[in-house]
Structure formats: structure tokens, C-alpha cells
Amino acid sequence: MIRLNPEQLVFVTERHLATLTTLRPDGSPHVVPVAFTWDADAGVARITTNRTSFKARNAGPLPDGGAPRAAICQVAGGRWITLEGTIAVSSDEAEIAEAVARYARRYRQLEPNPERVVLRVTVDKVMASTYMAS
């Protein structure tokens, strides 16, 4: 499991937006701005979205049954971090509730949304600006 160093951990808890890159079925990149939260205990980044969004569709299982990959990149001035890993869609109510609570702590309270799902990125690679590199 990936562990972020102290500088990286502080950066991913500050209030910044990031980009999420997933791949469309034709292989082209789909890049959108997102808010995300980092779960240090699980090594997972979570993004809430509607179940019908393109990013949720791109996070579904691949035709061969494999897990798709994604990258989250947060930039602020000269600081940046990219978290890469497998991505999956979760409609588990407990995980949605946890993601919403974490989102509220980092950004703001979300309105109830029965179409909400969680995109769960299990991070296996981290790249960062030099001063944050481990």
C-alpha cells in the first residue's frame, strides 16, 4: 500500500481541486476537474460523482474483466502531485457516506443525491514536485 510522506499528506489535505484522467472506450483520455479526498489508512483516493457520469462509465470494468487505471493530478503554484492506480465504482452506502463526510471536511457539505457513487482509486504510484518527492 502507498503511504504519502508528510509533505505530500499535507498537500492532499489542503483545499485544492485536481484533474482526473480516465480512458474512454476508444483509448483517448478523458480529463475533468474534480475534488477528491485521500484515505491514508487505505491508500485510496475517493471522488464522488453521479452514476451516469462519463468518469463513472470510464471507471467500469474493462472488456477483458481487468480494472481500468486513472490518474489524479493536483497542482497549486509550483507544487504538484499525481496519484495513479486502478479505479473502480462503488455504490456501497457505507463507502458513499464515508466519502461524503471526508468531502465535507476538505471542501464543503454536499446535498443529498440518490444517484451518487464513489470512484475509488487504489493508488500504486505517486509522482510529485521535487521538494515533495520521497
Side-chain angles (χ1 to χ4, degrees):
M1 178 179 40
I2 290 289
R3 298 262 183 226
L4 300 183
N5 68 35
E7 291 83 11
Q8 294 167 342
L9 189 56
V10 166
F11 188 49
V12 299
T13 57
E14 294 172 355
R15 192 175 190 276
H16 300 290
L17 294 179
T19 58
L20 171 68
T21 302
T22 57
L23 296 179
R24 295 181 180 101
D26 69 2
S28 63
H30 178 254
V31 183
V32 292
V34 295
F36 76 97
T37 60
W38 175 249
D39 182 339
D41 293 332
V44 167
R46 290 187 183 90
I47 299 159
T48 64
T49 190
N50 286 332
R51 69 180 70 253
T52 58
S53 70
F54 282 105
K55 55 188 167 284
R57 285 189 250 166
N58 293 342
L62 297 174
D64 66 2
R69 292 188 61 80
I72 299 169
C73 183
Q74 178 175 293
V75 179
R79 301 181 302 158
W80 62 272
I81 190 168
T82 300
L83 308 171
E84 293 182 25
T86 57
I87 188 168
V89 180
S90 174
S91 56
D92 177 77
E93 292 299 323
E95 184 154 25
I96 293 169
E98 177 66 19
V100 167
R102 287 174 181 270
Y103 184 99
R105 286 192 296 273
R106 186 171 185 198
Y107 299 102
R108 63 178 173 78
Q109 187 65 46
L110 291 170
E111 296 295 323
N113 178 355
E115 294 300 309
R116 182 174 287 124
V117 294
V118 172
L119 303 183
R120 180 185 176 96
V121 179
T122 303
V123 175
D124 56 30
K125 183 176 183 179
V126 176
M127 297 180 291
S129 49
T130 305
Y131 91 94
M132 284 194 290
S134 8

